[in-house]
Structures are given as C-alpha cells and as structure tokens.
Amino acid sequence: MSLDAVLARVDADLDAATGRLMELLRIPSISTDPAFKADCSKAADWLVRELTALGFDASARPTPGHPMVVAHGGGDGPHVLFYGHYDVQPVDPLDLWHRDPFDPAIEETPKGKVIRGRGAADDKGQLMTFVEACRAWKAETGTLPARVTIFFEGEEESGSPSLIPFLEENADELRADIALICDTGLFDPETPAIVTQLRGLLGEEIRVTGPSLDLHSGMYGGIAMNPIRALTRVLAGLHDDNGVIQVPGFYDDVAELSPELKAQWDALGFDEARFLGDVGLSGKAGEAGRSGLEMIWSRPTAEINGIWGGYTGAGFKTVLPSEAHAKVSFRLVSGQDPLKLRESFRAWVRERLPADCEVSFTDHGASPAGHMDTGHPAFEVARAALSAEWPKPAAFIGCGGSIPVAGYFKSHLGMDALLAGFGNDDDAVHSPNEKYNLSSFHRGIRAWARVLGGLSA
Amino acid sequence: MSLDAVLARVDADLDAATGRLMELLRIPSISTDPAFKADCSKAADWLVRELTALGFDASARPTPGHPMVVAHGGGDGPHVLFYGHYDVQPVDPLDLWHRDPFDPAIEETPKGKVIRGRGAADDKGQLMTFVEACRAWKAETGTLPARVTIFFEGEEESGSPSLIPFLEENADELRADIALICDTGLFDPETPAIVTQLRGLLGEEIRVTGPSLDLHSGMYGGIAMNPIRALTRVLAGLHDDNGVIQVPGFYDDVAELSPELKAQWDALGFDEARFLGDVGLSGKAGEAGRSGLEMIWSRPTAEINGIWGGYTGAGFKTVLPSEAHAKVSFRLVSGQDPLKLRESFRAWVRERLPADCEVSFTDHGASPAGHMDTGHPAFEVARAALSAEWPKPAAFIGCGGSIPVAGYFKSHLGMDALLAGFGNDDDAVHSPNEKYNLSSFHRGIRAWARVLGGLSA
C-alpha cells in the first residue's frame, strides 16, 4: 500500500528534511521590523524554489507588505488549502538566548532532540511538516493524492495587514474544500489535538500625555501631574482583586461553557500545576473559580503586553516625563464584538484619566473569536491520522491564541478550516530559545502524509 | 568708598568678563561621557590659569574621575569657601538646539540679552560671577576683603563620585567659616533668593519578576501572572485619590511649615497658574489642600521616573513578559530618614505583590533634606547684597531639588552653606538651548562683590 511506502520514505528522509528546515530558519524573516524586509522576501523566495522543485506551480506574490507564497499542485481528489506563515517574531531580549537565534542547531535535551532557533516551532518547522509530507508522496507515487494549494503568509506576526485584501483579490484561486492550518500545538506531549475554538484578539496602544515637556522632579515634583502615575492608575484598574476585567460590558456577550464541552475538557486531565510550574509559576492568576482550561480557552483576558515611559536607561534621572505608553491586548471569546469592546475600553480609559492628562490610541488589530464546524469529513480523517502517530488519541480542544486567518477563510472565502499543529507548551514561541521537538517535526510530517492519503480515500 | 569703585569696575569690565565666560563655555566638559574626559581636564586647567592670574594659589587636583580645582586667595577677614561646578550636562537631542551648544553667543531676545550655550546657567556662568567679583576687588584694591577658598567640582552632573572622598582627604584645607554655593536660581526675574531648605532624594529601582520566561498571551493569557499587571497595581497605590503618599510612616517625621515661613512664602505671590501653564498644565497634582510652594519646597513626593517592561518597539507583540521595571524617587523633607523610608517602601512593595511575583531593588542613592542655619551673619549680608541688585528684596526660599554638596559640607566639614544663584526658570538647564540672562551674570557679579565687602565689614 502506498501510504506505508510514503511513511517509510518520510522516515528515511528525516535528516535531509531537518537540514532543509535549518536553511529556512537561518533567514531572519522578522516581519514587524522594517530592517528585515529583504529577509522576508528571501524566505518567500526560498519556499517558492522548494515548492517549484516539488512540481508545484509556485510564486511569491507582492503585497504592500511582505510577499505571499501561493503554490498549486497535485491533481484529482478533494481540494485542500494548506496555510502556514514564514515570518517570525523579533528575538529580543537577545542576551537571554543561549545561541544565535538565526543559527539553528539540533540540541540534545533531557526530553529528547530539539531544533533550536527562532521560528523552529512558530511557524517554519510546522509549515515544513506539510511540505515534507508532499515531498514524500511525490517521491513515492509521482504525484499527490489530492489537489493541494499551499498558501504561506509573511505577516502573521505583525498583524497580517495584507491578508484580507489578498484573500479578496484572489478568492477564486484560493478557495478549496477545506483549509488545513498548521500553527497550533499538541494538547500534551502524548496527546495530539485539533483546535475547534479560538480566541479573538483586540490590540490597543495607549499614549498618555501630561506636561508639554519632560520636567525635573526637583522643580516640578509634587505639583505637576506625572503621566506614568496616571497610566499605572488606569492599568491597575483593569482587573479587580479576583481577576475580573473591569471594562464596562466586557462580559455581556460571553456564554458559559456547555456542560458537554466542559465534561470533555475536564476529562483531558489538564495538569495545571505542571503547566504553570514549567514556567516558574505556582498559581492561577485568572478569574477566581474558573478551571485552568477555561481561563486559557473559553474566557476573555486583558493583558498589558508592554509599558514604557520616562528614563529607562542605566543609572537614574529624576524626570517627570511628558508622556507614558502601554500596549494592551484582549483575548476575546465567542460572542464578543471586538469593535464594540474597543470603544468601551477607550471610553473607560478616558474616564479614569486625571485632569491635565490626554490620551490617544493606536489600533493594533481586532479579530473575533472563532468556532469551527467539525462536521466536515476532514476532521475525522485528521483525528485518525494524528491518533495513529501519538501515544494517545487526538482531542478536539480550544486554543487560547488567536488565529485570525481561520475566521477570514470563513468570512471571505466561505471555507471551513481545520487546525492541527504539533508544538509543545515548552517550545518558548515568541520567547528566547524557541525550539521545536524533532519528534514533533517527524510525527507531524507522517501525520500530514496520512491526512493527504485519507482525504482521497 | 571702595565698594562703589569695585562695582564701577564690574560694570566697566562686563564685556571682557562675558568674553572670558565664552572661552570657558567653548570647552565641552560633559562629565558623564568618557569621550569628553580630556575636555573636563581642559576646563579645570583653564580655571586654574584664570585664578592664578588673579593671585590665587590654584591647582587642579586629580581624582579617580575629573579633577577638582582648589584655589586660596585673599588674606585677613572671615574665611569663605565658594563652590561651583565646571562640568555640564550632555547636549542631546542635538537637533533641538538652534546653534552649536559649544559655540556660545550673546543673543537678543524679547526678554533681553542672553548668553546661549551649554553650561551658560548650569553652572559655568554662575561660578564665573564669583570669579569676576574677586577680579574686580583685586583690580581695585590689590587684594580681597576676605579670605577666600574656591572649590570647583567637575562631576556634579554625573553623581559626584569623587566628592566625598575628596572632602574627607582635604577637610582641613577646605573647611571655612561658611560655604557659598552658586548653583540655584532667582525666585522670579525680579526677586533674588537665598535657599534655606532643600529636599533630599531617595532613588529606588524595582524589578518585578514573574514567569521564568516571556510567555505568549495566547497560550498563557488569563492563567499566568503578568509582572506588568503586578507592578502597575503596586505603583498605582503610591498615592491615594488626594495625592497622599501611602507608604506606611512616610509622613511620620514631616513637620508642618511654621506659620512665619508660610506667611513669608504666601507673600511671595507665587503664580501657580503661570508656573504650571508654562509646561502645559492647568492644575496641581500634589496633596489636596496644600499650596503650590509647599508642594515644591516643603512636602515630600513620590514619583515614577521611569517604567518599562514587555514589548515596547514598533507594532505589537502579544507577550506576557517575565519581568517589569520601574525607577521611583522620593523627594524628602526635613525630618525624614532616607534609610528608614527605603526599608518602609521596600516592605510595602513586597507586601502588595501577588503570589508568583518576586521583587528586587537597586539603590540609586539616599540623601536627607537640608535645612540651613540662617543665624550665620552671611545670610543677612547676602540678603542685603541681593536686594540691592534686583528690583525686589531677596527672599529666603525652599528648593524642591537636592543639592547634596550642601549636606556633605555640613556632614563632612561641619560647615554651613549659603545657597544663592541667579538662574531663571526659563534657562533650559539640562535641555536644548540653555541660556543665562546677561542681567543675571552682571547683577550676580555685583552681588558677590557686595557680599565679599559685607562679610569683612
């Protein structure tokens, strides 16, 4: 049977596949920083070359930002669109990395071999699992068992400004029977997962201004309003002592988890102590009385992602700054309207500022939460494929992150999406020393090979 | 009478005196930047040459940092030590200067002639008022009417690391009947001032740590403690809604202003609206019910001088950082013990942190407030001298800033200090386009000439 031969080919080719991933990881495609614009194009071109060599009709399509990679291959059978992103997060703080983030290596760890480097897990390692699965099918059978469109984005880590226009302009070309999105993780190292609900995201930047220039605290300290003081007082009120978010109306459209789903999630045996202990924490910081999985998957959040103002260098400077800043984001759940909450948040901030402080806001994106339709046959195909590769059966889970593209595929192309990925909680995505387990890479390739075979069955 | 002749000599010599100050201003003696180390020595040497030419026994004394200038002159009569500093602040942002900061010039402005250049007011222009007063006495009478020690520091703008060791090693040489410190300002353009109380300063840096690494808010948002959230909640509690500082015991040793001093200050007619309006503010942000001068001169403060944590670059990053930081300073008043308050502040921060957050502190200095003993006859001499030169009588005022050298003279040499200077609020000290009014320079020289004469009377 060809699937067995394809899987054997995957196993035999693993070292070479790892080497190809390393090449891609060496390209510092940080999409949010204009200094790396050429590197983003380089990563897109590298992917086009790889896909072309596999027989895809591949091209890098220019956008006002970074290029999109689109490739068509295979022939008969159901039509799937595979999505991943080749851009990566910035690497600061660089001094916490134990190696150059863009000089990847295989490292031995107590938990097995890992591929270390920025983007290893998010999302270059993951997107390459699908490319390598296609390679194995092609090498073994001369073709692909399905009609495959590959779509790689280069702006996922910087808000995807070009995504919606690109989907709209290329809707007919990109529309498939279902989208496969590989940018998520396992439930735990032994349990693969298919994500059926995602949180949305609302990003806001706040700039509070006070005096018209920086002031000396000897001359003005005590009499003049300090914008950092004003900002900390506003932000400190985001949560009450029980972790409940205080923006008016924030929970109005938030539904309680259904008893069925709650039972399923409880049965997963989520180890809160381990999950938190792995990152140096001992207790839950969310709404009192909620389970850990609820906090991560089905409850909305408010987080201060960055704050800055005044003198932040070495030594000391007794300044009252003229402005202070923060980046705040909200993870949203099904039912919450991002645009309505943005207005509610901004009004709440304005109301709480003292006299002599002004505020301005910068919009950093707003996407609603997503709920997947698990009725499509691909869900059972994928559940079987993943269950065959990991020790425990695959679970349908929630995801605390926001993968807006899933929602856009639905809203702009009328296409459902299936989210399956192979990351682990300790991959340090967006952090120093990001890694991807070699076992995830290997099993991930095998799982996609099974999915491709299963879809055409 | 010789004083009249001396003052006439000052007037006749003003252009030449201004030219000499320009020479000193052309030397970029930025003490905090190692690139300007040789320039600091050059400024010290220039001063030694000037003082030697005036008959002083002058020398530049090496320190581990920049040299001290010490000069002895005059003969009989009371012994005064005059203090100033020849180092200056950095000049960035350079693009906001309308001329080269080290190519000074006399400029005509709507408020009269000014000497424009880095250090014009802080403190080269001020220290030269005393040198020129000595020159006029010497030229007119062949000697000085008092015994004069001149002491110029080259590290005032960079924390004075060599000052205390130098005072200790040279205590007998430097001890005089009283120190004259010229590094302060007028009360307003028409009212000269002698500072009789200075606030102290306690500087603390806070580092709050939470998770052992930066976390992705999609994966951990809602369940994990965010150190920025913890830090803002602590700092937001520094003041209550009435501006009262909440650190336990903070006001325990703070005395109310005496009715006499309060009446004197009220009589100064401080224009709060103008003072605040000049920097874009409309209302007082200090303790409710206090006057503006109390807030600046006689009440302690707590200010957040800097805050940072998480992602602060362009764009957005949905990170829960592993740490957050702030620089906090307290301006202290007479009676407050900086070391006791440091412990109280640190304990208060620790108590208010949630579980899973740790805090560490960095000490950025602790100096108590200063209260001058106005019983020394020099105070009345100086009050008369200043009152004779400006339209309104000289006032005994407070100063919201900290001039640690005054405290060190008392603690290490047992010497009281009299602080009189001639700067204006709009001098832009530490800022682009620093200037010193030519009238301040001229009247300042005349005032010191009067003080020298008066001390020996």
Side-chain angles (χ1 to χ4, degrees), chain A residues 154-455:
Chain A
E155 301 178 332
E156 199 272 346
E157 302 293 4
S158 53
S160 298
S162 309
L163 181 59
I164 289 179
F166 191 84
L167 292 180
E168 288 173 344
E169 284 164 26
N170 301 278
D172 290 341
E173 181 183 356
L174 295 172
R175 190 178 294 111
D177 299 328
I178 192 163
L180 309 175
I181 298 178
C182 191
D183 196 17
T184 52
L186 305 172
F187 173 71
D188 67 29
E190 302 205 316
T191 314
I194 296 164
V195 171
T196 63
Q197 60 186 76
L198 289 158
R199 291 196 289 196
L201 185 64
L202 171 62
E204 288 279 280
E205 186 166 323
I206 307 172
R207 174 174 174 258
V208 174
T209 54
S212 53
L213 70 167
D214 285 4
L215 303 177
H216 187 302
S217 82
M219 191 177 290
Y220 290 92
I223 192 171
M225 176 47 68
N226 180 339
I228 305 178
R229 171 175 155 198
L231 179 63
T232 58
R233 284 172 68 91
V234 170
L235 295 179
L238 257 181
H239 305 83
D240 72 8
D241 290 342
N242 293 315
V244 177
I245 295 156
Q246 300 297 297
V247 176
F250 191 73
Y251 294 98
D252 282 358
D253 302 308
V254 176
E256 285 297 322
L257 200 58
S258 73
E260 295 74 22
L261 207 51
K262 184 161 170 39
Q264 279 185 43
W265 289 1
D266 287 347
L268 285 170
F270 178 57
D271 187 344
E272 288 176 5
R274 185 197 60 77
F275 181 79
L276 290 169
D278 281 349
V279 295
L281 300 173
S282 66
K284 302 200 296 279
E287 296 164 87
R290 301 280 176 182
S291 78
L293 288 185
E294 279 187 284
M295 288 179 185
I296 300 171
W297 290 348
S298 68
R299 298 299 297 176
T301 70
E303 292 294 346
I304 309 162
N305 304 114
I307 191 166
W308 69 105
Y311 183 69
T312 61
F316 213 85
K317 190 170 169 183
T318 51
V319 66
L320 271 69
S322 69
E323 50 187 68
H325 309 254
K327 295 181 198 267
V328 177
S329 66
F330 300 88
R331 295 282 172 181
L332 306 179
V333 300
S334 196
Q336 289 184 296
D337 177 346
L339 300 182
K340 195 172 98 180
L341 291 179
R342 164 175 290 150
E343 291 316 309
S344 181
F345 171 67
R346 290 182 177 187
W348 177 83
V349 172
R350 285 192 193 96
E351 271 167 26
R352 292 173 62 88
L353 281 178
D356 281 333
C357 283
E358 300 282 331
V359 63
S360 60
F361 298 92
T362 303
D363 164 5
H364 282 293
S367 60
H371 249 265
M372 305 304 135
D373 173 10
T374 56
H376 190 284
F379 280 83
E380 286 312 318
V381 168
R383 171 135 61 179
L386 272 61
S387 299
E389 290 295 331
W390 273 267
K392 294 186 180 170
F396 285 179
I397 68 170
C399 171
S402 305
I403 305 185
V405 68
Y408 300 149
F409 284 158
K410 186 71 179 176
S411 58
H412 288 75
L413 305 184
M415 177 168 61
D416 288 312
L418 181 152
L419 297 106
F422 320 113
N424 277 278
D425 290 348
D426 62 357
D427 282 348
V429 298
H430 295 206
S431 295
N433 303 314
E434 179 177 349
K435 61 86 179 165
Y436 195 44
N437 288 4
L438 189 60
S439 64
S440 285
F441 187 58
H442 187 186
R443 286 169 168 165
I445 301 170
R446 289 175 56 99
W448 286 126
R450 288 180 186 275
V451 169
L452 283 170
L455 284 171

Side-chain angles (χ1 to χ4, degrees), chain B residues 178-180 192-196 261 264 372-389 393-397 417-420 447-448 450-457:
Chain B
I178 192 163
L180 308 176
I194 295 164
V195 172
T196 63
L261 207 50
Q264 281 185 40
M372 306 304 136
D373 174 9
T374 56
H376 190 284
F379 280 83
E380 286 312 318
V381 168
R383 170 137 62 178
L386 272 61
S387 298
E389 290 296 330
F396 284 179
I397 69 171
L418 180 153
L419 296 106
W448 287 127
R450 288 179 187 274
V451 168
L452 284 169
L455 285 170
S456 63

Side-chain angles (χ1 to χ4, degrees), chain A residues 11-270:
Chain A
D11 297 348
D13 197 38
L14 182 62
D15 283 355
T18 309
R20 288 185 285 267
L21 171 56
M22 300 286 212
E23 281 185 33
L24 180 57
L25 292 176
R26 284 189 195 101
I27 306 171
S29 47
I30 302 170
S31 59
T32 200
D33 187 338
F36 295 89
K37 186 167 175 55
D39 294 297
C40 291
S41 288
K42 193 175 161 191
D45 292 341
W46 187 92
L47 287 162
V48 168
R49 279 196 307 275
E50 284 294 307
L51 293 169
T52 302
L54 291 181
F56 281 88
D57 176 13
S59 56
R61 310 285 182 87
T63 74
H66 304 300
M68 305 286 185
V69 173
V70 179
H72 301 286
D76 296 336
H79 183 191
V80 296
L81 178 136
F82 179 86
Y83 168 91
H85 64 89
Y86 66 79
D87 63 318
V88 300
Q89 280 273 318
V91 295
D92 56 284
L94 191 57
D95 58 340
L96 295 186
W97 285 80
H98 65 246
R99 63 177 301 116
D100 178 344
F102 296 110
D103 178 23
I106 305 288
E107 294 180 3
E108 296 281 355
T109 78
K111 294 178 183 173
K113 290 185 179 177
V114 304
I115 304 160
R116 181 87 62 191
R118 172 55 88 224
D122 186 15
D123 182 45
K124 288 173 175 174
Q126 303 239 67
L127 71 81
M128 287 301 288
T129 57
F130 192 82
V131 173
E132 297 297 342
C134 291
R135 185 189 310 276
W137 270 102
K138 184 89 182 184
E140 204 58 38
T141 70
T143 185
L144 299 175
R147 183 178 161 201
V148 173
T149 296
I150 287 181
F151 177 40
F152 293 146
E153 187 191 1
E155 301 178 332
E156 199 272 346
E157 302 293 4
S158 53
S160 298
S162 309
L163 181 59
I164 289 179
F166 191 84
L167 292 180
E168 288 173 344
E169 284 164 26
N170 301 278
D172 290 341
E173 181 183 356
L174 295 172
R175 190 178 294 111
D177 299 328
I178 192 163
L180 309 175
I181 298 178
C182 191
D183 196 17
T184 52
L186 305 172
F187 173 71
D188 67 29
E190 302 205 316
T191 314
I194 296 164
V195 171
T196 63
Q197 60 186 76
L198 289 158
R199 291 196 289 196
L201 185 64
L202 171 62
E204 288 279 280
E205 186 166 323
I206 307 172
R207 174 174 174 258
V208 174
T209 54
S212 53
L213 70 167
D214 285 4
L215 303 177
H216 187 302
S217 82
M219 191 177 290
Y220 290 92
I223 192 171
M225 176 47 68
N226 180 339
I228 305 178
R229 171 175 155 198
L231 179 63
T232 58
R233 284 172 68 91
V234 170
L235 295 179
L238 257 181
H239 305 83
D240 72 8
D241 290 342
N242 293 315
V244 177
I245 295 156
Q246 300 297 297
V247 176
F250 191 73
Y251 294 98
D252 282 358
D253 302 308
V254 176
E256 285 297 322
L257 200 58
S258 73
E260 295 74 22
L261 207 51
K262 184 161 170 39
Q264 279 185 43
W265 289 1
D266 287 347
L268 285 170
F270 178 57

Side-chain angles (χ1 to χ4, degrees), chain B residues 157-453:
Chain B
E157 302 293 5
S158 52
S160 299
S162 309
L163 182 59
I164 289 179
F166 191 84
L167 292 181
E168 287 173 345
E169 285 164 26
N170 301 278
D172 290 341
E173 181 183 356
L174 295 172
R175 190 178 294 111
D177 299 327
I178 192 163
L180 308 176
I181 298 178
C182 191
D183 196 18
T184 52
L186 304 171
F187 172 72
D188 66 29
E190 301 207 317
T191 313
I194 295 164
V195 172
T196 63
Q197 56 186 80
L198 289 158
R199 291 196 289 194
L201 185 64
L202 171 62
E204 287 279 280
E205 187 165 322
I206 307 173
R207 173 174 174 258
V208 174
T209 54
S212 53
L213 70 169
D214 285 2
L215 304 177
H216 187 303
S217 82
M219 191 177 291
Y220 291 92
I223 193 171
M225 178 46 69
N226 179 338
I228 305 179
R229 170 175 155 197
L231 179 63
T232 58
R233 283 172 69 90
V234 171
L235 295 179
L238 258 181
H239 305 83
D240 71 8
D241 290 341
N242 293 316
V244 177
I245 294 156
Q246 299 297 298
V247 176
F250 191 73
Y251 295 98
D252 282 0
D253 301 309
V254 176
E256 285 298 320
L257 200 59
S258 72
E260 295 74 21
L261 207 50
K262 183 162 170 41
Q264 281 185 40
W265 288 1
D266 287 346
L268 285 170
F270 177 57
D271 187 344
E272 290 176 3
R274 185 196 60 76
F275 182 79
L276 289 169
D278 281 350
V279 296
L281 299 174
S282 66
K284 303 199 297 278
E287 297 164 86
R290 300 282 177 181
S291 77
L293 289 185
E294 280 186 284
M295 288 180 185
I296 300 171
W297 291 347
S298 68
R299 298 298 297 177
T301 71
E303 292 293 347
I304 309 163
N305 303 114
I307 191 166
W308 69 105
Y311 184 69
T312 60
F316 212 85
K317 189 172 169 181
T318 51
V319 65
L320 271 69
S322 68
E323 50 188 69
H325 310 253
K327 295 182 197 267
V328 177
S329 66
F330 300 87
R331 295 281 173 181
L332 306 179
V333 301
S334 195
Q336 290 184 297
D337 178 346
L339 301 181
K340 195 172 100 180
L341 290 180
R342 165 175 290 149
E343 291 315 309
S344 180
F345 171 67
R346 291 182 176 186
W348 177 83
V349 171
R350 284 192 195 97
E351 271 167 25
R352 294 173 62 87
L353 281 177
D356 282 333
C357 282
E358 301 283 331
V359 63
S360 60
F361 298 91
T362 303
D363 164 5
H364 283 291
S367 59
H371 245 265
M372 306 304 136
D373 174 9
T374 56
H376 190 284
F379 280 83
E380 286 312 318
V381 168
R383 170 137 62 178
L386 272 61
S387 298
E389 290 296 330
W390 271 267
K392 294 187 180 170
F396 284 179
I397 69 171
C399 171
S402 306
I403 303 182
V405 68
Y408 300 149
F409 283 158
K410 186 71 182 178
S411 58
H412 288 76
L413 304 184
M415 175 168 63
D416 288 312
L418 180 153
L419 296 106
F422 320 114
N424 277 279
D425 288 348
D426 62 357
D427 281 349
V429 297
H430 295 207
S431 295
N433 301 314
E434 179 177 350
K435 60 87 178 165
Y436 195 45
N437 288 4
L438 189 60
S439 64
S440 285
F441 187 58
H442 187 188
R443 287 169 168 166
I445 301 170
R446 289 174 56 99
W448 287 127
R450 288 179 187 274
V451 168
L452 284 169

